[in-house]
Amino acid sequence: MNQIAPLIIQAGLVLGFVVVTLFGTFFLSKIFGTSRHSKVKDENFECGIENQGDARFPVSVKYFLVAILFVLFDVEVIFFYPYAVNFKEMGVEGFLALLMFVSLFLTGFYYVIKKGALDWSNK
Amino acid sequence: MDFIIEKSVLIVSVFGITLVMAMYSTWLERKFAAFLQDRLGPNRAGIFGLLQPFADAGKMFFKEEFIPNHSEKFLFIAGPGIAMFTACMTSAVIPWGPDFEAFGRTISLQISDINIGILYIMGFLSLGVYGIMIGGWASNNKYSLFSAIRASSQMISYELAMGIIIITIVMMTGSLSLRNIVQEQSGALYNITALKGLNWNIFYQPLAFIIFMTCALAECNRAPFDLAECETELIGGYHTEYSSMKLGFYLFAEYINMFISSTVIATIFFGGYNFPGMQLIENSALLTVMCVAVLFLKIIFFIMLFMWIRWTLPRFRYDQLMHLGWKSLIPLAIINMLITGAVILAT
């Protein structure tokens, strides 16, 4: 409890600051600032030429693949944390278990690389 | 009740210091760039241009609030808010100085000593991706979208290597709490009494430091990994459509992240507030002041290192960036972890 309360206070302070500043400037500039609109000005920026459609289109699947692989490997990395905290107590036996886990990790990693999932340049 | 007041004062001061550090980082960046390019840099507002950050902030406040027609209004405003929120929350678990006695009680210069301190920082770093991704997507601008996707993909890639490096440090310390990690580093280096206070992890883990530094650069979207905002390809990056204080929040969040990254590097590799000769100082108040000053010197050194790297190295290409992150840093980090484990068990 003693450790969580300050975190909540900080979250409240930061959240208050962010919300007040963002919405404060939003409304203040509505009241005091200039606000001119025109069809051309309100368009999204695109090199100064006329817009071609909008930005809701599919992008390269590589990015998606990276995200999926991240989820996979990050879960495996998270499994190391409880081990690392108890590393000294678990001794050699624990280390051998770790080696086994790392070899599984590296096997998956090697497979991903050999499959070319992380190749970005066109060959 | 005393506890709450004490912590509130600490929280407000840490928040204030974070904002001031971020403001003056912008000043320092411009001065440093000017120095490296043989220019003068900002020198009109105040002596040495020291009031420049205030002038910039004031200008940000009075700029026209502009939201493009086709953007998602709510998410467009929420994006910079999330970026700023996550950036400001990470400072909670950092020990800024040793405990000291005042008003008849022991005061700790750490907002919260949760026992998963370093995971907390990693967690908020990961949440930072949302600020960029939401802002970039909600702009409905092609450049912003590309930039946001690049940034998220880059940040999650480098998080893996960063996580493995932190495991190495945790193996040496046996604790995830930053307080324990710092206290561990107050001993004598290689058990030589003359080197007391120098038992920093950098002397045991130089490779880990280099990998961590690289990942920190990538996590902060700093050069040479600033592909999210490379001007020649993507106009301004994910904040192309932003103006006024919302733009200010994105820039601010970036500098706060840089400040926090420097702090984390100083804390887990360079002994935090420890310095050689600190056992000679008897007065506990003086010791605390000196420890905080030393920590901030280290932080400013790393912020300057970030800037130095920015003006020294050219930008990576995207495939090189991914190649470095996945095929070099992750295997290196794993090998480093295994060697560390073996050495600790052998001794």
Side-chain angles (χ1 to χ4, degrees):
Chain A
M1 179 58 208
N2 270 355
Q3 306 301 341
I4 301 297
L7 286 183
I8 296 171
I9 299 176
Q10 194 184 16
L13 175 79
V14 174
L15 199 63
F17 172 78
V18 167
V19 169
V20 166
T21 320
L22 272 186
F23 287 90
T25 47
F26 187 70
F27 287 115
L28 277 181
S29 74
K30 271 237 161 95
I31 298 166
F32 296 112
T34 52
S35 181
R36 290 195 198 89
H37 291 278
S38 74
K39 191 171 173 293
V40 179
K41 186 184 172 186
D42 287 357
E43 289 278 303
N44 289 87
F45 178 75
E46 195 172 310
C47 311
I49 56 166
E50 264 178 58
N51 276 7
Q52 304 290 320
D54 62 3
R56 302 281 178 261
F57 52 81
V59 291
S60 169
V61 75
K62 288 285 176 196
Y63 294 103
F64 182 68
L65 210 57
V66 166
I68 296 275
L69 290 177
F70 164 74
V71 173
L72 264 180
F73 287 115
D74 204 40
V75 168
E76 294 189 30
V77 167
I78 291 294
F79 283 136
F80 287 136
Y81 277 90
Y83 167 74
V85 175
N86 300 310
F87 168 67
K88 280 173 189 160
E89 288 90 79
M90 288 169 81
V92 178
E93 203 178 320
F95 190 65
L96 292 177
L98 174 80
L99 280 180
M100 203 171 81
F101 190 74
V102 167
S103 57
L104 289 175
F105 179 99
L106 287 179
T107 313
F109 195 66
Y110 183 74
Y111 175 77
V112 165
I113 286 176
K114 273 289 148 203
K115 270 281 174 186
L118 296 165
D119 281 342
W120 285 73
S121 41
N122 293 324
K123 292 225 173 77
Chain B
M1 200 59 216
D2 278 358
F3 175 76
I4 295 291
I5 293 170
E6 170 199 318
K7 288 293 179 196
S8 303
V9 170
L10 184 65
I11 288 166
V12 172
S13 20
V14 167
F15 184 56
I17 289 171
T18 311
L19 291 186
V20 169
M21 284 299 283
M23 280 172 87
Y24 276 93
S25 297
T26 63
W27 173 82
L28 184 66
E29 173 122 87
R30 294 168 71 174
K31 270 295 192 204
F32 200 73
F35 169 70
L36 288 181
Q37 298 166 354
D38 203 12
R39 294 184 284 117
L40 282 176
N43 64 348
R44 291 303 152 111
I47 32 167
F48 304 120
L50 273 172
L51 294 176
Q52 189 68 39
F54 290 96
D56 288 342
K59 189 182 121 185
M60 289 276 183
F61 267 109
F62 290 108
K63 278 286 169 185
E64 181 186 345
E65 194 83 16
F66 175 70
I67 300 178
N69 239 347
H70 302 286
S71 306
E72 310 281 330
K73 282 218 168 45
F74 178 72
L75 290 180
F76 189 77
I77 300 175
I82 296 172
M84 187 74 179
F85 178 76
T86 52
C88 288
M89 282 302 287
T90 34
S91 56
V93 290
I94 288 158
W96 299 98
D99 295 352
F100 66 104
E101 305 277 334
F103 315 116
R105 40 187 289 129
T106 312
I107 294 175
S108 148
L109 280 180
Q110 184 180 16
I111 292 173
S112 169
D113 180 31
I114 45 177
N115 51 12
I116 51 160
I118 201 146
L119 276 184
Y120 173 91
I121 290 184
M122 289 286 284
F124 268 103
L125 268 182
S126 323
L127 284 178
V129 176
Y130 283 99
I132 293 174
M133 192 67 215
I134 287 175
W137 183 82
S139 302
N140 204 350
N141 178 315
K142 286 159 194 143
Y143 299 109
S144 305
L145 180 71
F146 279 134
S147 163
I149 290 172
R150 277 189 186 186
S152 351
S153 162
Q154 163 187 343
M155 280 165 86
I156 58 180
S157 300
Y158 279 77
E159 227 169 76
L160 282 175
M162 203 176 207
I164 299 171
I165 290 306
I166 287 174
I167 289 168
T168 317
I169 301 297
V170 172
M171 275 160 92
M172 290 178 66
T173 316
S175 169
L176 288 165
S177 155
L178 281 172
R179 188 192 182 84
N180 295 350
I181 292 176
V182 170
Q183 275 166 0
E184 190 85 351
Q185 298 179 63
S186 66
L189 179 65
Y190 306 129
N191 289 325
I192 304 168
T193 331
L195 297 176
K196 196 161 162 41
L198 256 181
N199 193 29
W200 301 350
N201 284 330
I202 174 74
F203 297 116
Y204 301 97
Q205 296 285 351
L207 178 65
F209 165 68
I210 292 169
I211 298 175
F212 195 90
M213 185 78 199
T214 317
C215 293
L217 284 171
E219 290 282 320
C220 295
N221 286 324
R222 291 283 304 180
F225 303 114
D226 58 345
L227 280 120
E229 25 197 286
C230 49
E231 300 85 0
T232 41
E233 296 164 30
L234 293 173
I235 322 294
Y238 51 87
H239 43 59
T240 303
E241 294 289 356
Y242 281 90
S243 61
S244 170
M245 209 53 205
K246 298 197 291 301
L247 174 68
F249 266 19
Y250 268 131
L251 301 182
F252 242 60
E254 199 183 313
Y255 281 96
I256 293 176
N257 279 334
M258 202 164 102
F259 168 60
I260 295 294
S261 302
S262 306
T263 315
V264 172
I265 291 172
T267 305
I268 67 179
F269 286 105
F270 285 80
Y273 52 74
N274 294 305
F275 59 96
M278 66 187 284
Q279 75 280 7
L280 301 175
I281 301 165
E282 301 279 310
N283 189 333
S284 117
L286 179 68
L287 178 68
T288 306
V289 171
M290 283 192 66
C291 283
V292 175
V294 165
L295 177 61
F296 270 87
L297 276 181
K298 289 175 187 171
I299 294 169
I300 290 167
F301 171 77
F302 281 109
I303 291 179
M304 289 182 78
L305 187 63
F306 272 67
M307 291 169 184
W308 191 3
I309 290 172
R310 172 176 176 178
W311 296 111
T312 308
L313 296 177
R315 186 180 289 134
F316 276 61
R317 219 168 53 210
Y318 204 77
D319 61 316
Q320 293 171 331
L321 171 94
M322 282 302 177
H323 191 92
L324 178 71
W326 285 87
K327 294 181 186 166
S328 310
L329 292 186
I330 294 178
L332 265 182
I334 289 183
I335 291 167
N336 186 51
M337 177 179 86
L338 292 179
I339 292 174
T340 308
V343 169
I344 291 178
L345 282 181
T347 49

